[in-house]
Amino acid sequence: MNYNKNFFTIFGNPVSHSASPKMHNYLFKTLNIDSCYSRYLLKDGSTLRETFFKLGVVGANITVPHKEEAFKACDEVIGIAKELGVVNTIIKKDNKLIGYNTDADGFYYALSEYFPLKNALIIGAGGTAKAISKKLKNENIDVSILNRSQNRLNDYKEFKTYTWDDAHKLERYDVIINTTSAGLEDEFLPAPIEILEKLLKSTKAVVEVIYGKETPFLKEAIKRSLPYKDGSQMLLMQGVLANHHFINYEYDLKTIEKIMKKSFDI
Ligand code: NDP
């Protein structure tokens, strides 16, 4: 089979829901870049490397559940991906696979509108919280974590951590970030309203990682006229940074962001 010279894909399982093909293809088309981006249902993550070469792709994104396998598939890993052990973007260079994590960097870029930030409270302690907390810490932002239960907090030894039971010890934070899945498919808040009320009274901004929905958490921020962002900005920026690698930095980030953002409207 013949493949396009600049052929990209996203590996995942499931992958049919992914917005990445639309985002990257819209950018290629708008800038007249002779490339295309598809999606590939990869069932066995351990075959990622051989599948990458077999398909003849020159770059790829990796989504759930293969981001850790993607890290192992690379010859070299750059930036925060090395610390996280998690890769979501791969570029082929001189027949070697180079890995990056644009999720963490994309989130940080999206957050930059609220800079300077002295401290941040992350609600939730799952995979997304791990990436975001490390990135913010590396950028000298003082990070605390609030989770409903203790178990996952044991992975956050380098941070101040709280459960709902000791939430009375929480301080004031420049930004409150919800990384839980509360509100994704239900109408739950990520923490009891008494806890959130106190936090929202003294914060400067609110960020939600869920996208495409006004979650109960966002509604609380809107009620209080707080500046807020939902997860679409994070989704957009991970794509912008990945594309920047794909097109060999030929266009600047602002140009890519402006165009890719429009793909959300189609
Ligand atoms: P994980 O499954 O790794 O972690 C889930 C976390 O949410 C845990 O800390 C869990 O607490 C907490 N949680 C779940 N339900 C509730 C609830 N009802 N009330 C309070 N806490 C709850 O999830 P991920 O980190 O992988 O994903 C989290 C969210 O981030 C998802 O909604 C996902 O869609 C979104 N996301 C968005 C991205 C974007 O580009 N915008 C990118 C990646 C993820 P406990 O430990 O007590 O179980």
Side-chain angles (χ1 to χ4, degrees), residues 56-91:
V57 290
V58 294
N61 286 123
I62 300 88
T63 187
V64 180
H66 301 314
K67 293 186 189 184
E68 273 139 9
E69 283 292 347
F71 175 84
K72 292 187 211 153
C74 291
D75 297 293
E76 192 186 337
V77 174
I78 293 177
I80 192 157
K82 232 188 309 191
E83 264 178 84
L84 297 171
V86 175
V87 156
N88 82 319
T89 301
I90 296 181
I91 308 291

Side-chain angles (χ1 to χ4, degrees), residues 124-128 147-149 152 179-182 184 190 209-211 231 235:
T128 308
N147 199 42
R148 77 178 160 187
S149 58
R152 288 185 216 243
T179 70
T180 75
S181 38
L184 181 66
V209 299
I210 295 169
Y211 57 89
L235 175 72

Side-chain angles (χ1 to χ4, degrees), residues 64 67 103 123-130 146-153 164 178-184 186 188-191 208-211 230-236 238:
V64 180
K67 293 186 189 184
D103 287 329
I123 310 179
T128 308
K130 211 170 274 175
L146 169 68
N147 199 42
R148 77 178 160 187
S149 58
Q150 180 58 42
N151 197 22
R152 288 185 216 243
L153 287 176
W164 293 358
N178 176 35
T179 70
T180 75
S181 38
L184 181 66
D186 51 50
F188 294 136
L189 284 166
E208 167 69 87
V209 299
I210 295 169
Y211 57 89
D230 80 346
S232 56
Q233 185 88 12
M234 179 180 177
L235 175 72
L236 172 67
Q238 64 74 31

Side-chain angles (χ1 to χ4, degrees), residues 32-62:
N32 261 326
I33 297 172
D34 180 21
S35 295
C36 86
Y37 188 113
S38 73
R39 46 168 72 91
Y40 190 95
L41 177 68
L42 185 72
K43 291 194 174 142
D44 178 1
S46 68
T47 63
L48 196 147
R49 188 180 166 93
E50 64 177 270
T51 311
F52 188 107
F53 283 111
K54 207 157 62 186
L55 288 175
V57 290
V58 294
N61 286 123
I62 300 88

